[in-house]
Every structure is written in C-alpha cells, then in structure tokens.
C-alpha cells in the first residue's frame, strides 16, 4: 500500500511542478473555469499589495477572501506554490483516511447477519476495499481539474483541504475540531456541516434529557468557535468591512464574471424588479436539501456528506472545477454501486465534451469575436445538467442497493416472474 | 461706454430723494482674442471674456442686482456655496506635438471640477444638485455625473483662485468623455456674456464655422481673486474662454492664408460697449518666410506665456481708428511654410490600451520630458471606471528602461457600481526621457441594463491629467496685479523659474464583453429548467421508495373491474 501511494504522490508532484515552471501556469491562472472572483490567486496578491499600500483590502471590490487568508499568506506569499502542493497532498492523505475509517465501521456491519443470503455479491469483500483509499487518492491527485486548480494557485485547494479535514474529524467523532474547521470556510459548507455532524452520531430522541444536553453542548461549541473566528478576523484589520465583502458578496452575487455555474448569466439577464426574489430562490436552493437529505440518509453519514458536497458544488454562486474535483474524488468509495448506475456513459461523455468545449467557446466569444455569450452559457447549462444527473444517479443507485440489501437481490413478483423496481 | 453712462445716469435720477442708494459694487468686463498661427499651417484662435465683480456672494446680504455678471451663475454660486467652479466642453483632442501648448487645457468631452466653501455640510448632495443645475444652464447632459464617475483628487486640482482652504474633502472632479459639444451648448454659453452675441468679439462666434474645426473648446471658470496687491478684499472673477483650431486643409484652398472672414465668416464692426478693454492679439513671434499681416497696426506687445517670450501685434477695438474707413475689421494673415522647427513643448503625454480580447488589458500612460538637462516632478491623476478592475500590484513605472518608483501614491480602489478607481502619483521625470506607467485591468461583465444602447461602440475612460511645474527658460512674471493680457494671467505664477502646465492625455475607448440582449426570458427559463431538473430528481429520490411493480391490467380488465366494484363483486 505504501509503495503505490508513494509512486502516486511522486507522479502528482512531478506533474504539478512541471506545469508550475512552464508558461502554461499564467494561462491557467487566468481561466475563468478554474478561478473565480472568490478564490483567484491574483486577487490574493492584490489584497496583500493593498495592505502594503496602507489601504484595507476590503475597501475595494477586488478581494473577497476571509481575513484568515491574509494572515496565512502574509508570511507564505513567496512559498505559494509549495503551500498549494502541500495542501493538495494533505487533502489526498485525509481522503485516504476517511474511507479507511468508514470501512472499519462497515466491517462491523458485515458481521451482522441480517442480510439475505443472495446479497452476498452486493457486499464488498475486504480485498476490494483494501484498494479503495488508494483509488480515492488517485482520483483526487490525478484529476485534471485538481491539477489545473493547483497550478492556478486558487485558494479552492485550501478550502478543499479544510473540508477534507472536517470530514475526517466528523468520521472520527471529534466534535470541537469539527466546528472550528467548519467555520474557517467562508461559504456554504459552514452551515450545512453544522447540521450534518449534529445528526451523525446521536439518535434524535426528543424526550431523553441527554439529547438536549448534547444539543446544548454542541450549540455552545459551535457558537464559541464562531465567535473566536469572527473576532480573529476583526482584529486583523480592526474593521467589520470583511463581513459584507466576503459573506455579503457570496450571497448577493454582484460580480457577474462568467464561470461554470448558473448564476452569472442568469443575473446578467435578470429584470431588475425580480433580482432580489431570484437571488433568494437560488441561495435557498443550495441549503434547501440539507434537512431532507439528512432525514433520508441518517444511517449513511458518509454518503450524506458526499451528497451535500455535490449539491453545494453544483449550485453555489461561484463554482470552479476545484470544487467539482473534491466530490468526484469520492466516487471510488461507491464503486460497488456501478451495477445500479443507469446513466454512466451519457454523463461521462457529456462531462468530457463540456470540459473540452469550455475553453473553445470562451476563446470564440472573448478573443475571436465570432461567437457570443450564449454559446458559453449553453455549455454551462449542459455541464450542470450532467453533474446533476451524475449525483442523482449515484443517489438512486445507493438507495436501490439499500433496498436490495433488505429485500434480496433477485426479486420475484407474486406470480414468480422477474420483478421490476420502481420509485413510487 | 455711452450706454453705460446713460444707464448710470438713469439709475441715479430714479432714486427717491430721501433714500441714499448704496453704491453699486464695481464690475469690469474685458474681452480679447488671441490668434496664433501654428507651425502646421492651422490657426489657433482663443477668445477670453473676463468679468470681475467686487461683491460678496457668501455674505448675509442677498445679491439681487446683476449687471455684467450673469445672474444664473451668481445664483449658482450663492446657493451651492461654491468657491471655485471650472467647467469645460471640448470637441476634439489637442495635439500638443503639432500645435504646442494651449493657453487653457481641456480634455475631450465635458469636465467639471468644483471647490466648495468649508461651510458646506453635505458635499455629495450639493454636488449632485449642482451638476443638475449646470446641466440645465448649459443644455448638456451633466446629469450623468454621479458617484460612479466623481472622484476626490488628493493632490491635483489645487484651487486656482485665492483662499487657503486645502481640505480636499471639498473638492469634486468629474469628467464625461462621451459628451458631444454642439450649437445647443454654445448658445447658452454665449448668452452669459454681457453683450451676448450682438456686439464685440462675440459676433465672431457662429456655430457653422466654429464646429467645422479640428478642436473646439468652451469653458467657464469662476474663482475669487484679489482686488489689489495688498489682497485685503476679494472679488469674483468669471472667465469664459473659447479655444478653436481651424484646420488648414478642410478650410478650402490649403494655402496658409487666413482672415477673420475665412475663419469666422464675419468681420468685426465694433467693440462691446460694456467692455473696458477689447483687444485682438496676433502672435508674430515666429515670423516665418513672408509673413504678412494686414491691416497693419502700430501696437506691439510682449508677453511671457508658457515659458516663452512672444511678441504680439495688437488691435485695440475700443479705438475707432482700428476699424478704418470701412468701419469693419478683417485682418489677413499670410505666410509660407518654413523649415524651422517650432519650440518643442517640454511636457507631453500619451495613453493607450494594450492587450487583446475582452477579458484583460493593460493601460499604458507615457509622459515625455523634452527638457535637455532638467528633471522635474509631475503629478499624474488617473480615473478609471469601476468596470475595468485595476490590479495595483501590476503597476510599473519605468523611465529609460529602469524602474522609477513614485514618491507619492494615493490609490482609492473602486467599489462596484458606487465609485471609480482613483490613482494619483508623483513621478520624477528624468531629463530627455519617456516615462511609462502601466497597469493591468480586467473587464467586467455588466448587467444587461447597464450597457448603453450601442454597447459595441465601447466604454470611454476619461483622460489622465498630468500637472507639473515645468522649468522655464524665460523668467516668468510673478506680479499678478499688473496689467497683463488675459491669456497670460490665467495660471498664477508663484515663482519666476517655472510655469504651471496641465496636460490631458487621450481618452480611451474600451470594449466590454456583452451578454445577448435579446435573451432575458430564454435565459431565465433555461436556467430555471436546469435547477428544476435537479430539484425534480432529488425530490423523487427523497420522497419515494422502491416498490415492486405490479403490472397494470389492460383497459378491458380495468373497465370490468370498475363495473364489478359497482356491483359489489370482487375484482378480477
């Protein structure tokens, strides 16, 4: 296990180092699919330059990172490339750990005898599961999206690192670290993850006093860490400017720079009268699935995390390929669902085609002038539809596997013929 | 003059015997025209009309009797507590290298900068009202001046009149590079003159000739000035200036032969009766081959202007003899082109946008110092609209290939849809060199309602302003109260060895990426469809469970079952 992992790490580092040194690094750092106004490296450098000039980075509209990033990069700006590569390795190592841990739990489930005998083929053997952490690491490190994001020095990599650490801590059951980490993140995960880890390991039984005690403890820890992080951010610059610049920016979407998401063109063409309404609708759409998903998947926390990550990456206001790479890295964990997936071929073709068409149509619109914004927008729509299909497909397959585990794999109808399963 | 005397007489006679009329504050009106033949064969004509009035707009007493000073501007000054007001409307760009330095520089489009009195509490509100009122007075669309194109320079645009308040909170500067100047703007401007366009030099200002030129600029400058050298009391000065450059080739024959009639299609018949002085200055310093000026005039005058000692032939319109027997003055200038070089202006600026595509770009500002051995500092002011996002960490200033760090940088970053970028720098220009200032920017995508009706024309970026005290070869005249021609007394000289120069660079025209303007409904529908696809799939999977499907019976069987149910018999 160690040898293939080392080889993988070496290959990943080599590719990134080679790209860092080549002329492609500048080109990639400018691509709108890879960087967004929230996490572009150019903007971090701009914020630090404004700080050097004696102006608050939040007085303009260029810098939208949390002050913690200023703290971090004030000292590390010269070592930026190494920082990002280290964060990548960190993410991959953390992702390695999480499947291993959650499989340990699954092993106990194996012992349980409650599955019908014909489901044995649905359950994974330990031998299969042995290689899954390595596959996860490989999916993450060698994913072109991740490589592009790392070479562009987008702070998405740091965010992914924190999310991965959060997932690890959640699986391990360490609550305090969980909260602190969730609050370092400056967007959507902060709120859903609170809910998530809450639901994870405690049975919800309203009558029991220990439930309320635990809720209180949890809420107190969450508010405490929130307070600490906000105060830290305040004391850096001495102003509360960062609140509208960071959180207000994410929620109100004033910057309409094209990206791979759905927000930019929608709000570029929105009638002024309805702007606030649709803004609320789209932002609620991101958080909306938290409660239903956590109710449906309360016994499957890791899959819940995956679903939430995916929903957020698709519907957030400024998505980039780095966010997609994170939830794509989880796919090998559910490789046993392959037999129940219905749209794999379609989805993978569409994703590949769209990834190839993004730069082409961008060039045609911005540089050649022979296409217009509709072309790029169309590919954005298609890309998001493909992602939604992928996510819902995996969800379907997961639920179907659970059904089969409880009811048996080969189902028969009352009259003995082969049954078909439908969602009703 | 006769009319003025009769006016005064009627005033004193109509006053009742028991009340002593208070003495009217004195006001004075001067007009002049300077004609300067340019080296390229074009001709530069500069009108200046100056009204000085010893009154106090800011005092408690409301000023009600206006004579030479236009009432509309007087009311503007008192209502908005204006200390200094400078507004200019320009069509065309002043080509410094071909035409030399102008007497009064102005950027293309409209420019307005105002110093308010320190009694004003809400400067932004007052500014907004002032721009709207001026928009009405001058029939110009100055109401487009709002917070997105107004800046507060911190070092440039110091007051040109007297006054020791230098708190830049009371200064506002805005420019509208897209503004077009036409007859509609000239007519109200002419109405502000005491004689209107009926008498004096203003009869020459006919729009069909004035706008058929390479450069046309009209401006109004209001400022407080000292009455005498002791400066115990101040009076208000209003200068209205009109600069025009007529093109050699578009005027017809292409010969270097100009006359008042050829330039303005009018001749002069009398001076303005209300003017205390009415003069025409023809610049005869250069004296190229076979320079001819008729009718001849005995008056000659020398003045030091823009660091150069120039000689002028003067025509005094208040003397009847000037008009000759025909009672009309039409001077004729004729010269042949010479090989000599004109004096190169010491300071010159250029600006352009580099890069390709609609995503990023780079603004390059070049400043030329043509002095052979003296270096001097210049103050560069750049206002860039918010939708071109400047990255100040990419700012580079190089002179002669080496890095030249500015000694003072004031940068105010923009806020989307609220205020523009403001960049001010003090740069030392080495002698005989080019200094290049570059900064990268990113183009923003705007909401579809924020584009102008012709979005592919592009968006204008106002001119950069370069202000400097340029070292002068000739000793400048620092005595401000001596009788001097108007054109040499606009910019006060504080010291003998340098003179003040303000240069405006070209405005820029930048294209932004545009969305498709015909698509709002389509975009809303398509995007909502994608969100609905996501919602629908997740809703299905969250609310439904798997069940084994029982095949539904055929139509006949279903009908039979319905009938059996009605009969109360178990179904098939």
């Amino acid at each position: 296990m160690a040898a293939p992992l080392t080889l993988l790490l070496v290959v990943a580092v080599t590719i990134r180092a080679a790209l860092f040194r080549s002329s492609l690094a500048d080109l990639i750092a400018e691509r709108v699919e890879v960087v967004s106004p929230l996490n572009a490296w150019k903007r971090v450098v701009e914020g630090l330059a404004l700080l050097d000039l004696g102006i608050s980075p939040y007085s303009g509209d260029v810098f939208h990172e949390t002050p913690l990033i200023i703290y971090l990069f004030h000292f590390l700006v010269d070592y930026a490339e190494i920082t990002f590569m280290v964060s990548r390795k960190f993410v991959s190592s953390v992702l390695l750990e999480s499947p291993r841990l959650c499989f340990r739990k699954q092993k106990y489930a194996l012992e349980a005898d409650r599955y019908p005998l014909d489901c044995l083929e649905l359950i994974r053997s330990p031998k299969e599961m042995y290689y899954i952490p390595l596959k996860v690491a490989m999916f993450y490190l060698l994913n072109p999206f991740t490589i592009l994001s790392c070479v562009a020095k987008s702070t998405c990599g740091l965010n992914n690192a924190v999310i991965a650490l959060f997932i690890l801590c959640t699986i391990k059951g360490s609550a305090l670290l969980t909260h602190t980490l969730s609050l370092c993140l400056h967007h959507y995960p902060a709120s859903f993850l609170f809910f998530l880890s809450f639901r994870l390991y405690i049975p919800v039984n309203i009558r029991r006093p220990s439930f309320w005690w635990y809720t209180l403890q949890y809420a107190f820890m969450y508010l405490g860490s929130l307070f600490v992080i906000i105060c830290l951010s305040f004391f850096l610059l001495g102003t509360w400017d960062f609140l509208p610049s960071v959180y207000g920016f994410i929620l109100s979407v004033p910057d309409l720079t094209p990206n791979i998401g759905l927000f930019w063109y929608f709000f570029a063409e929105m009638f002024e009268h309805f702007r606030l309404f649709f803004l609320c609708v789209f932002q609620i759409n991101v958080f909306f699935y938290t409660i239903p998903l956590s109710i449906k998947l309360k016994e499957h926390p890791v899959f819940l995390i995956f679903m939430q990550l995916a929903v957020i990456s698709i519907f957030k206001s400024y998505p980039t390929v780095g966010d997609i790479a994170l939830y794509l890295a989880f796919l090998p964990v559910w490789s046993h669902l392959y037999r129940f997936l219905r749209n794999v071929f379609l989805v993978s073709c569409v994703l590949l085609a769209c990834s190839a068409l993004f730069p082409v149509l961008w060039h045609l619109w911005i540089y050649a002038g022979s296409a217009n914004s509709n072309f790029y927008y169309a590919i954005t729509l298609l890309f998001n539809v493909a992602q939604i299909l992928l996510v819902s497909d995996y969800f379907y397959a997961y639920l179907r596997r659970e059904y089969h585990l409880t009811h048996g794999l080969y189902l028969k109808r009352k009259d003995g013929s082969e049954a078909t399963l439908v969602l009703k | 003059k006769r009319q003025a005397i009769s006016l005064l007489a009627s005033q004193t006679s109509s006053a009742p015997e028991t009340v002593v009329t208070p003495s009217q504050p004195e006001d004075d009106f001067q007009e002049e025209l300077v004609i300067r033949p340019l080296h390229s064969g074009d001709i530069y004509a500069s009108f200046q009309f100056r009204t000085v009035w010893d009154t106090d707009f800011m005092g408690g007493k409301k000023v009600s009797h206006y004579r030479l000073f236009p009432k509309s501007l007087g009311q503007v000054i008192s209502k908005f507590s204006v200390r200094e007001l400078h507004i200019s409307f320009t069509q065309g760009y002043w080509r410094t290298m071909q035409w030399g330095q102008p007497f009064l520089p102005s950027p293309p489009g409209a420019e307005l900068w105002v110093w308010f009195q320190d009694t004003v509490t809400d400067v932004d509100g007052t500014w907004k009202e002032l721009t709207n009122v001026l928009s009405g007075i001058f029939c110009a669309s100055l109401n487009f001046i709002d917070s997105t194109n107004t800046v507060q320079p911190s070092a440039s645009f110091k007051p040109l009149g007297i006054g020791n308040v230098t708190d830049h909170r009371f200064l506002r500067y805005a420019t509208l590079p897209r503004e077009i100047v036409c007859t509609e703007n000239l007519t109200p401007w002419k109405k502000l003159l005491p004689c209107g366009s009926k008498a004096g030099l203003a009869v020459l200002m006919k729009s069909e000739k004035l706008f058929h030129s390479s450069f046309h600029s009209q401006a109004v400058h209001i400022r407080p000035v000292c009455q005498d050298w002791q400066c115990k009391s101040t009076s208000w000065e209003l200068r209205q200036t009109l600069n025009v450059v007529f093109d050699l080739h578009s005027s017809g024959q292409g010969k270097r032969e100009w006359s008042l009639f050829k330039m303005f299609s009018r001749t002069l018949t009398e001076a303005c009766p209300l003017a205390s002085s009415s003069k025409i200055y023809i610049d005869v310093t250069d004296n190229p081959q076979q320079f001819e000026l008729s009718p001849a005039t005995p008056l000659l005058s020398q003045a030091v202007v823009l660091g150069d000692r120039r000689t002028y032939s003067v025509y005094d319109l208040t003397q009847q003899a000037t008009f000759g027997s025909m009672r009309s003055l039409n001077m004729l200038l004729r010269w042949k082109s010479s090989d000599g070089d004109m004096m190169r202006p010491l300071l010159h600026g250029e600006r352009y946008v580099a890069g390709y595509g609609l995503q990023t770009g780079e603004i390059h500002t070049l400043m030329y110092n043509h002095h052979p051995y003296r270096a001097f500092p210049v103050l560069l002011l750049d206002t860039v609209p918010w939708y071109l996002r400047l990255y100040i960490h990419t700012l580079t200033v190089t002179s002669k290939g080496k890095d030249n760090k500015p000694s003072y940088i004031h940068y105010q970053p923009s806020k989307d849809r609220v205020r523009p970028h403001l960049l001010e720098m003090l740069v030392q220009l080495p002698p005989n060199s080019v200094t290049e200032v570059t900064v990268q920017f990113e183009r923003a995508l705007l909401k579809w309602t924020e584009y102008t009706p012709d979005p592919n024309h592009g968006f204008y970026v106002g001119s950069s302003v370069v202000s400097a005290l340029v070292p002068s070869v000739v000793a400048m005249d620092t005595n401000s109260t001596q009788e001097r021609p108007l054109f040499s007394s606009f910019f006060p000289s504080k010291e003998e060895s340098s003179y003040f120069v303000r240069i405006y660079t070209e405005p820029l025209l930048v294209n932004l990426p545009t969305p498709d303007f015909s698509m709002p409904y389509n975009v809303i529908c398509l995007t909502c469809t994608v969100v609905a696809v996501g919602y629908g799939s997740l809703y299905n999977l969250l609310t439904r469970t798997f069940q084994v499907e029982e095949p539904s019976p055929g139509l006949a069987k279903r009908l039979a079952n319905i009938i059996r149910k009605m009969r109360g018999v178990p179904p098939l």
Side-chain angles (χ1 to χ4, degrees):
Chain A
M1 189 61 164
L5 186 62
T6 325
L7 178 66
L8 183 63
L9 281 173
V10 164
V11 168
V13 171
T14 317
I15 296 178
R16 284 165 172 78
L19 281 172
F20 266 131
R21 294 281 162 261
S22 75
S23 62
L24 285 175
D26 285 327
L27 209 69
I28 294 173
E30 295 249 307
R31 296 236 43 104
V32 289
E33 295 93 7
V34 183
V35 299
S36 73
L38 276 181
N39 50 30
W41 176 244
K42 199 171 182 188
R43 291 184 183 235
V44 174
V45 176
E46 177 72 10
L48 292 173
L50 283 175
L51 206 60
D52 285 339
L53 272 178
I55 309 165
S56 161
Y58 300 108
S59 59
D61 247 339
V62 165
F63 189 73
H64 299 289
E65 308 267 3
T66 50
L68 300 172
I69 300 275
I70 301 184
Y71 270 130
L72 179 68
F73 280 110
H74 205 61
F75 308 108
L76 288 179
V77 69
D78 293 324
Y79 308 106
E81 294 166 9
I82 302 178
T83 316
F84 283 104
M85 283 217 267
V86 162
S87 72
R88 296 281 147 182
K89 303 306 148 277
F90 185 68
V91 177
S92 62
S93 60
V94 157
L95 286 176
L96 267 174
E97 278 300 305
S98 352
R100 220 181 267 146
L101 283 173
C102 79
F103 293 147
R104 238 173 263 149
K105 298 206 188 304
Q106 196 157 18
K107 259 193 223 156
Y108 303 146
L110 258 183
E111 248 88 83
D113 225 345
R114 39 195 189 102
Y115 298 129
L117 283 165
D118 59 354
C119 290
L120 274 174
E121 54 188 86
L122 282 179
I123 301 177
R124 288 174 289 186
S125 62
K127 201 160 64 149
E128 275 170 28
M129 295 208 290
Y130 182 69
Y131 281 110
I132 286 176
L134 183 64
K135 279 194 207 158
V136 169
M138 188 170 73
F139 254 59
Y140 187 73
L141 287 173
L142 297 182
N143 191 346
F145 290 159
T146 330
I147 297 177
L148 285 176
S149 197
C150 181
V151 172
K153 291 192 274 208
S154 147
T155 56
C156 193
L158 295 172
N159 278 331
N160 287 356
V162 176
I163 295 178
L165 194 58
F166 170 85
I167 296 171
L168 183 65
C169 294
T170 311
I171 293 178
K172 275 201 168 144
S174 152
L176 182 61
L177 202 54
T178 309
H179 299 306
T180 327
L181 289 172
S182 75
L183 292 158
C184 287
L185 313 170
H186 57 67
H187 21 109
Y188 302 98
S191 57
F192 93 84
L193 293 172
F194 156 65
F195 225 146
L196 183 78
S197 45
F198 180 57
R199 290 232 138 230
L200 267 177
Y201 294 109
I202 28 132
V204 182
N205 193 344
I206 300 186
R207 280 182 224 109
R208 294 220 333 254
S210 66
F211 167 74
W212 289 108
W213 174 240
Y214 190 81
T215 318
L216 205 64
Q217 258 187 327
Y218 199 87
F220 187 71
M221 268 198 285
Y222 182 76
L223 289 170
S225 21
L226 183 73
F227 183 70
V228 166
I229 296 224
I230 297 271
C231 283
L232 258 181
S233 309
F234 174 72
F235 284 122
L236 174 68
L237 288 169
T239 60
W240 293 107
D241 278 349
F242 72 96
L243 285 174
S245 258
V246 180
Y247 303 100
F249 180 78
I250 296 167
L251 290 175
S252 65
V253 192
D255 187 337
L256 298 170
T257 315
N259 48 55
I260 56 175
L262 297 165
F263 277 66
W264 65 279
Y265 206 54
F266 190 69
F267 288 104
E269 298 270 16
M270 174 53 59
F271 299 104
E272 273 311 304
H273 187 63
F274 295 106
R275 196 185 148 77
L276 185 61
F277 169 71
F278 277 104
L279 200 59
C280 296
V281 166
F282 271 54
Q283 296 289 1
I284 289 173
N285 185 47
V286 183
F287 297 108
F288 182 65
Y289 300 104
T290 309
I291 299 178
L293 276 175
S294 37
I295 293 174
K296 184 90 180 181
L297 295 169
K298 59 173 171 281
E299 280 116 32
H300 314 284
V302 185
F303 194 74
L304 174 60
I305 292 176
F306 166 73
M307 282 300 297
Q308 268 296 357
L309 270 180
V311 162
I312 286 178
S313 310
I314 298 170
F315 292 118
K316 67 197 286 198
S317 44
Y318 293 101
T320 59
V321 293
D323 303 309
I324 296 172
L326 187 63
Y327 79 79
L328 282 181
F330 272 97
L331 294 184
V333 180
W334 328 113
S335 53
H336 57 288
L337 298 173
Y338 183 75
R339 62 190 297 158
F340 299 117
L341 291 173
R342 296 178 296 176
N343 301 318
V344 174
F345 179 65
L346 177 70
V347 166
S348 44
C349 280
V350 174
L351 283 177
L352 277 173
C354 288
S355 312
L357 279 174
F358 269 124
V360 170
L361 292 170
W362 178 257
H363 177 87
L364 281 181
W365 173 26
I366 298 286
Y367 295 102
S370 51
N372 65 9
S373 49
N374 291 333
F375 293 69
Y376 193 79
Y377 167 66
I379 298 300
T380 304
L381 286 181
L382 212 54
F383 193 69
N384 283 301
V385 164
Q387 282 184 74
I388 291 171
L389 259 182
L390 176 72
V391 166
S392 59
D393 211 16
Y394 266 91
F395 196 19
Y396 171 87
Y398 196 86
L399 292 176
R400 184 150 170 185
R401 178 176 173 268
E402 293 304 311
Y403 181 83
H404 281 304
L405 278 177
T406 46
H407 292 93
L409 185 56
Y410 298 104
L411 301 166
K412 301 231 181 309
R413 258 189 250 150
K414 287 186 200 141
D415 50 5
S417 59
E418 198 174 322
T420 49
L421 263 188
V422 291
L423 277 173
K424 271 217 204 313
Chain B
K1 267 210 174 129
R2 258 180 277 130
Q3 288 169 358
I5 294 169
S6 58
L7 204 66
L8 273 168
S10 60
Q11 267 185 329
T12 47
S13 63
S14 60
E17 288 80 25
T18 48
V19 178
V20 177
T21 49
S23 59
Q24 294 293 335
E26 284 180 19
D27 49 9
D28 176 54
F29 175 65
Q30 298 169 307
E31 55 179 19
E32 83 178 19
L33 164 64
V34 181
I35 296 183
R36 187 163 99 195
L38 299 171
H39 193 73
S40 54
D42 306 325
I43 196 147
Y44 171 35
S46 173
F47 292 84
Q48 272 208 39
F49 301 92
R50 180 181 187 245
T51 309
V52 184
W53 196 15
D54 308 337
T55 183
D56 186 16
F57 284 112
M58 298 302 136
K61 221 166 33 123
K62 191 160 157 280
V63 177
S64 52
H65 183 79
Y66 289 85
R67 198 170 79 96
L68 296 175
F69 202 95
K71 184 171 179 179
S72 49
L73 290 180
Q75 286 178 328
V76 162
I77 297 172
S78 45
K79 179 159 185 225
F80 298 110
S81 307
V82 166
R83 204 172 102 211
E84 265 191 46
L85 185 140
H86 302 270
I87 183 167
S88 72
F89 299 95
T90 311
Q91 180 85 353
Y93 175 66
W94 183 269
R95 297 173 201 289
T96 314
M97 293 308 278
Q98 288 157 346
W99 299 339
Q101 292 281 5
F103 295 124
L104 286 142
S106 53
E111 186 204 40
L112 171 66
W113 57 282
V114 175
W115 274 93
F116 290 97
Q117 302 278 353
D118 46 1
T119 52
V120 176
T121 45
D122 177 18
V123 185
D124 289 317
T126 319
W127 168 254
K128 192 161 172 59
E129 284 178 33
L130 175 65
T131 50
N132 278 293
V133 166
L134 288 174
S135 169
I137 293 176
F138 292 105
C139 290
S141 45
L142 297 174
N143 51 326
F144 284 122
I145 293 179
D146 56 10
S147 66
T148 61
N149 47 24
T150 307
V151 290
Q152 243 181 284
S154 68
S156 314
F157 294 104
K158 293 254 181 286
L160 286 175
I162 57 156
N164 44 13
V165 174
T166 48
D167 186 355
H168 280 260
R169 278 187 302 130
F170 296 103
L171 170 64
R172 291 291 184 273
Y173 172 81
T175 173
L176 290 173
R178 211 188 155 112
E179 188 70 15
I180 300 178
V181 189
C182 58
T183 316
E184 238 181 35
N185 307 117
L186 182 63
T187 313
W189 186 91
K190 281 196 287 186
K191 279 213 196 121
L192 297 171
L193 295 169
C195 283
S197 51
K198 308 271 188 325
L201 290 170
V203 298
L204 295 176
M205 296 195 287
K206 292 293 165 200
S207 40
E208 66 261 13
K209 280 295 192 177
L210 280 182
F211 290 105
H212 193 67
S213 57
S214 304
F215 179 83
H216 168 95
S217 169
Q218 63 200 54
V220 172
H221 302 276
I222 302 177
R223 58 182 175 170
V225 292
C226 287
Q227 273 176 23
D228 51 16
W229 65 275
Q230 279 167 328
C231 213
K232 281 208 213 96
S233 56
T234 62
S235 44
W236 285 90
E237 179 196 75
L238 164 69
R239 283 196 194 220
Q240 286 180 255
T241 64
L242 192 134
N243 293 328
V244 61
V245 174
F246 292 103
D247 187 45
L248 169 70
H249 299 286
S250 65
S251 64
Q253 302 145 301
K255 277 199 289 189
R256 285 162 165 76
E257 186 181 311
W258 292 97
S259 68
L260 271 187
F261 191 78
K262 188 174 177 189
M263 288 195 274
F264 301 108
S265 69
R266 291 285 184 285
T267 58
L268 288 166
T269 49
E270 59 167 341
C272 174
L274 299 169
S276 62
S277 123
S278 178
K279 295 199 167 83
I280 300 184
Y281 294 84
I282 315 274
D283 188 335
V284 296
T285 324
D286 286 333
N287 225 343
Q289 286 176 330
Q290 299 174 334
F291 186 84
E292 206 183 293
L293 175 63
S294 68
T297 171
L299 297 168
L300 270 182
S301 151
Q302 283 221 329
V304 181
V305 60
L306 297 171
D308 200 12
R309 184 171 294 278
R310 318 283 298 179
T311 315
Y312 296 90
S313 294
V314 185
Y315 292 84
D316 190 351
L317 297 178
T318 49
Q319 310 292 329
Q320 271 301 320
T322 321
F323 295 102
S325 54
M326 301 287 284
R327 300 178 76 85
S328 105
L329 176 63
N330 178 20
M331 31 213 162
L332 182 69
L333 291 91
R334 198 186 289 144
W335 73 100
K336 292 256 191 311
S337 71
S338 61
D339 298 326
D341 287 325
M342 72 169 187
M343 183 178 116
R344 221 156 52 140
L346 290 177
L347 182 62
H348 171 54
E350 277 175 9
R351 195 160 85 148
Y352 59 91
V353 172
Y356 62 96
L358 294 175
Q359 190 180 4
T360 54
E362 224 174 62
I363 298 182
H364 290 244
T365 311
L366 297 160
M367 293 181 284
Y368 295 85
N369 177 1
H370 292 300
H371 202 286
Y373 52 86
R374 291 278 299 273
F376 53 87
V378 300
L379 202 58
L380 172 67
L381 172 76
D382 245 324
T383 311
V384 180
W386 66 265
Y387 39 82
L388 301 182
R389 301 203 167 99
L390 291 185
Y391 285 96
I392 210 68
H393 69 273
T394 57
L395 177 72
T396 59
V397 184
T398 47
S399 306
K400 290 180 173 169
K402 283 189 298 203
D403 210 20
N404 179 359
K405 205 163 139 42
S407 52
Y408 168 75
I409 296 186
H410 170 73
Y411 176 61
Q412 195 190 40
S414 70
K415 254 195 136 40
D416 274 11
R417 302 181 180 90
V418 171
R419 59 167 198 249
H421 296 275
L422 173 68
L423 177 62
E424 273 186 281
M425 294 194 287
L426 186 67
V427 185
Q428 184 83 0
L429 300 185
N432 211 9
S433 67
V434 181
T435 304
E436 185 167 352
V437 178
T438 59
V439 64
Q440 286 180 10
F441 65 88
E442 198 180 73
R443 301 172 207 226
L445 185 74
L446 307 176
K447 300 184 201 170
W448 70 304
T449 48
E450 289 175 344
Y451 288 88
T452 51
D454 52 349
N456 289 303
H457 178 74
F459 286 77
Y460 283 93
V461 179
S463 313
S464 295
V465 187
V466 179
S467 324
L469 278 173
V470 179
S472 160
V473 182
V474 178
M476 300 298 295
D477 194 355
T478 52
N479 190 347
S480 58
T481 52
Q482 211 186 27
E483 263 306 309
R484 284 156 71 188
L486 292 177
F487 60 88
S488 62
S489 65
F490 186 72
F491 286 117
S493 280
K494 299 251 172 39
E495 49 188 77
E496 284 190 349
S497 56
S498 57
Y499 61 97
F500 180 75
V501 152
R502 188 174 278 145
I503 304 255
Y504 291 93
T505 61
E506 296 96 327
L508 302 173
L509 191 58
V510 172
N511 267 326
L512 291 182
T514 57
D516 188 345
F517 298 98
S518 59
M519 290 269 289
Y521 273 121
N522 303 0
V523 168
I524 295 176
C525 290
L526 289 169
T527 311
C528 290
T529 305
V530 172
V531 173
V533 163
Y535 176 81
S537 339
L538 286 174
Y539 175 82
N540 271 342
L541 291 164
L542 287 168
T543 52
R544 297 180 189 202
T545 50
F546 283 101
Q547 288 168 27
V548 177
E549 187 196 8
E550 297 299 325
S552 65
L555 184 62
K557 252 195 179 166
R558 268 189 282 160
L559 277 175
N561 276 337
I562 293 170
I563 298 171
R564 286 171 89 96
K565 205 166 33 165
M566 287 199 300
R567 278 171 57 196
V569 172
L572 290 167

